Amino acid sequence: MRTSRKLSKTNYLVYRDCAHNAWVKVHRPEVYHARPPSVFEQAVMDTGNDVDARARDIFPDGVLIRRGDADGTAQLVAERYGVLYQPVFETDRYTTACDVLVWSEDRGVYDLYEVKASTSGEDRKAKDDLYAHDLAFQANVLAECGVPLGRFNLVRLDSSYVSDGTLDLNRLFTREDFTDRVTPLLETVAAEMDAAHDVMSLETMPLGPCGCVYKGRSSHCTSFSFINGHVPEYSVHDLTRIGASPRRLRSLVDAGILDITDVPDDFELTVNQANQVRVARQGRAFLEVAPLGEFLNRLRYPISFLDYETYPCALPRFAGFRPYDHVPFQFSQHVVSHPGGEAVHRDFLFTGRACPDAYFVAALKDAIPAEGSVVVWNRPFERGINAKLAERLPDAGEFLLSVNERIVDLMDVFTGQMVIHPKFRGRTSIKWVLPALVPQLSYQGLAIQEGATASETWNRIVTGDLEGDEAEEARKDLLTYCKRDSLAMVEIWRALLAAVAAREIREAG
């Protein structure tokens, strides 16, 4: 049985990624939205809204259409109103809202502009294909509504733009003509729209597993567990980098091999994947004593365990920043000066309205020892922050680059599989490693438990969204969270020293 439902652009794009997931979104919203958006996901949506609103300023004198007002849009289009923000169009089967429509008097057409919060330099091929389909959906709906259409354009942030302390919107945003990409897609997208509408109109979910069963865990759709209840919690989808080996994953799934412990000994796997399977099957940790011992012996005292917190600002707030350059606002450091020594803690947090750069570097100079190893988790991140700081603060360049030369990545122990634990489940994030190796230390119970929440909490403080007692409580939460990150590295390091000494990893819990 089918029930006619209007297909929105958003649901069409979800359908293109996973048809089953799109059906669940429409028919079982309580399942689709069972997990509310993470702080990171919400921040992405908020950033998109902010960028969209600022982009309207490069198309002045427009009128903002009330949400869902297709009739009001139709009247303004009939009057050939010059600039429309968020115009809404509906047919019997489809509905869409556009970002900006601009009337061209000379050509007698409306040019369509889609605004994206991405930059012009990132992952171009995959994103451009997605954006072209996005525009093609809108173009098909508008054409069916009788709107005379001209060019199809994409507006996004220019990755080469460097702020002078103000926002020059005409330089911040690029306007790219996507007409030649969109036009050849129109018929194909129209067919996809019909197919998606048919799926959305079904009263029962399409049969069988969704296509995500052939993707790695990080690429699974929102409703994967609901749709594919036969897939165990720790499955072949968790094999490290299995998403880069679709043929290998498909062979396992088609053979009905889903539990990671059921992968045959003779199945073709990478060395890292085979080690992960072996550890999962045996249920105990694996330790490469020699390389781990060499890694630990390369560390030089005093050893500084250092963690940064930053805010990736899409619309640059300070001079010298590009779109999405990270604003470093906090660090936590634990220093162990000699073997067996206590870890001495220092930290810094800036919550003023000015640019934190100079304050951050001054505090770092005061805190970090002049020699010894600097241990971080994910070296490219901290080194990248220091390199950007050196660009913006040339006088501090020598100091920051000297810090970079001493940085050692503790995560290398786990990406290099010197230690493999069944509780890692193929991950190398500190949030997975810590509870396996140091179960007595946890992020549970903290008001802030991951970096995205820390970033957004800082942003709410400095923009005035949090004030007074709330802001002060948030500052304390930030300090507690960042301290936990650097302390976690200390305790993982100590657990590794003990493991090498004992030549084994003791099972945790």
Side-chain angles (χ1 to χ4, degrees):
M1 181 178 176
R2 298 175 183 272
T3 301
S4 181
R5 296 174 181 269
K6 290 185 189 294
L7 176 71
S8 69
K9 183 186 73 171
T10 299
N11 289 343
Y12 162 72
L13 295 174
V14 174
Y15 168 87
R16 292 197 73 241
D17 184 62
C18 178
H20 287 66
N21 194 37
W23 186 93
V24 173
K25 183 175 184 291
V26 170
H27 292 268
R28 296 293 303 275
E30 76 284 0
V31 172
Y32 186 88
H33 297 290
R35 181 184 67 83
S38 67
V39 173
F40 173 77
E41 290 165 339
Q42 186 61 52
V44 169
M45 290 186 281
D46 292 342
T47 295
N49 292 334
D50 290 344
V51 170
D52 182 54
R54 291 310 299 266
R56 293 171 196 159
D57 290 339
I58 62 177
F59 305 99
D61 302 323
V63 60
L64 179 62
I65 305 299
R66 181 168 51 85
R67 185 179 180 87
D69 188 5
D71 291 339
T73 298
Q75 180 178 342
L76 290 170
V77 168
E79 297 170 357
R80 303 304 190 234
Y81 196 92
V83 179
L84 302 177
Y85 310 136
Q86 294 295 311
V88 181
F89 298 90
E90 291 187 350
T91 70
D92 290 342
R93 293 159 59 89
Y94 307 112
T95 179
T96 191
C98 308
D99 287 330
V100 183
L101 276 183
V102 178
W103 176 250
S104 171
E105 191 67 43
D106 293 342
R107 292 178 288 125
V109 293
Y110 271 108
D111 291 326
L112 174 61
Y113 292 86
E114 175 68 14
V115 179
K116 297 297 183 185
S118 61
T119 63
S120 57
E122 64 180 59
D123 192 15
R124 289 295 294 268
K125 189 176 186 304
K127 285 187 178 293
D128 284 0
D129 181 67
L130 174 65
Y131 298 155
H133 281 78
D134 185 323
L135 280 161
F137 181 96
Q138 297 177 61
N140 281 331
V141 177
L142 269 63
E144 192 172 336
C145 290
V147 180
L149 289 172
R151 313 298 291 178
F152 310 121
N153 306 279
L154 186 74
V155 177
R156 55 184 160 186
L157 300 165
D158 188 340
S159 59
S160 67
Y161 171 78
V162 181
S163 174
D164 61 0
T166 62
L167 282 184
D168 183 340
L169 297 181
N170 285 307
R171 290 178 50 235
L172 172 63
F173 288 103
T174 64
R175 282 176 270 195
E176 302 165 64
D177 191 336
F178 261 50
T179 308
D180 290 343
R181 291 183 175 96
V182 173
T183 302
L185 287 175
L186 291 174
E187 289 187 13
T188 299
V189 170
E192 282 186 341
M193 291 165 64
D194 285 343
H197 182 272
D198 288 345
V199 169
M200 296 301 99
S201 299
L202 293 173
E203 288 301 319
T204 57
M205 186 168 63
L207 298 175
C210 67
C212 300
V213 78
Y214 294 117
K215 300 177 183 177
R217 180 73 68 181
S218 63
S219 298
H220 283 176
C221 66
T222 309
S223 313
F224 183 84
S225 296
F226 174 78
I227 300 165
N228 308 281
H230 62 295
V231 177
E233 184 180 358
Y234 189 21
S235 72
V236 294
H237 304 91
D238 296 292
L239 285 166
T240 180
R241 294 187 59 78
I242 194 64
S245 307
R247 177 189 58 80
R248 193 172 290 156
L249 178 57
R250 180 175 287 274
S251 295
L252 288 167
V253 173
D254 287 347
I257 300 168
L258 297 176
D259 194 300
I260 195 168
T261 61
D262 292 336
V263 178
D265 290 335
D266 61 352
F267 188 81
E268 179 191 357
L269 295 172
T270 66
V271 172
N272 284 6
Q273 290 168 348
N275 288 338
Q276 184 184 346
V277 170
R278 175 162 51 87
V279 166
R281 187 181 295 132
Q282 295 174 349
R284 56 188 175 86
F286 170 75
L287 176 69
E288 287 276 17
V289 175
L292 178 57
E294 291 175 8
F295 175 91
L296 295 172
N297 287 335
R298 287 198 300 270
L299 299 181
R300 294 289 175 260
Y301 291 92
I303 304 175
S304 303
F305 296 85
L306 183 64
D307 179 71
Y308 289 173
E309 298 300 332
T310 66
Y311 180 77
C313 197
L315 302 172
R317 294 179 187 171
F318 310 114
F321 281 76
R322 294 177 173 84
Y324 289 107
D325 270 357
H326 285 252
V327 180
F329 61 84
Q330 180 180 14
F331 69 77
S332 175
Q333 175 189 254
H334 281 82
V335 176
V336 179
S337 60
H338 58 275
E342 291 297 315
V344 178
H345 182 242
R346 297 279 298 274
D347 60 12
F348 166 80
L349 172 61
F350 183 85
T351 54
R353 296 296 180 91
C355 177
D357 281 1
Y359 303 95
F360 185 95
V361 171
L364 190 64
K365 279 184 177 180
D366 185 55
I368 200 165
E371 56 185 10
S373 298
V374 179
V375 176
V376 302
W377 200 282
N378 189 20
R379 172 174 50 197
F381 178 74
E382 270 82 7
R383 291 188 67 175
I385 296 301
N386 288 343
K388 289 287 190 179
L389 282 165
E391 287 181 11
R392 296 192 296 266
L393 301 172
D395 290 346
E398 184 177 351
F399 161 71
L400 291 163
L401 296 180
S402 72
V403 172
N404 275 358
E405 290 173 357
R406 295 188 281 142
I407 285 181
V408 178
D409 195 344
L410 189 56
M411 190 168 67
D412 285 349
V413 169
F414 307 100
T415 56
Q417 290 201 328
M418 301 174 209
V419 176
I420 314 172
H421 198 292
K423 292 184 178 179
F424 293 169
R425 296 196 175 184
R427 275 79 156 187
T428 58
S429 162
I430 198 169
K431 303 300 191 296
W432 284 86
V433 172
L434 181 66
L437 300 188
V438 192
Q440 68 273 21
L441 186 64
S442 170
Y443 289 85
Q444 297 300 313
L446 299 187
I448 298 173
Q449 298 183 11
E450 39 74 41
T453 303
S455 291
E456 286 306 305
T457 299
W458 176 81
N459 187 50
R460 293 184 67 195
I461 294 173
V462 300
T463 57
D465 189 37
L466 295 177
E467 296 179 318
D469 292 343
E470 281 188 315
E472 184 56 33
E473 191 66 27
R475 289 187 81 263
K476 292 177 182 177
D477 292 340
L478 283 168
L479 291 168
T480 300
Y481 167 72
C482 197
K483 181 179 180 180
R484 185 61 49 90
D485 269 347
S486 57
L487 179 60
M489 287 188 281
V490 173
E491 296 304 327
I492 290 170
W493 167 70
R494 286 174 172 161
L496 296 175
L497 289 174
V500 169
R503 303 185 68 82
E504 66 178 6
I505 294 284
R506 298 186 183 278
E507 283 304 300

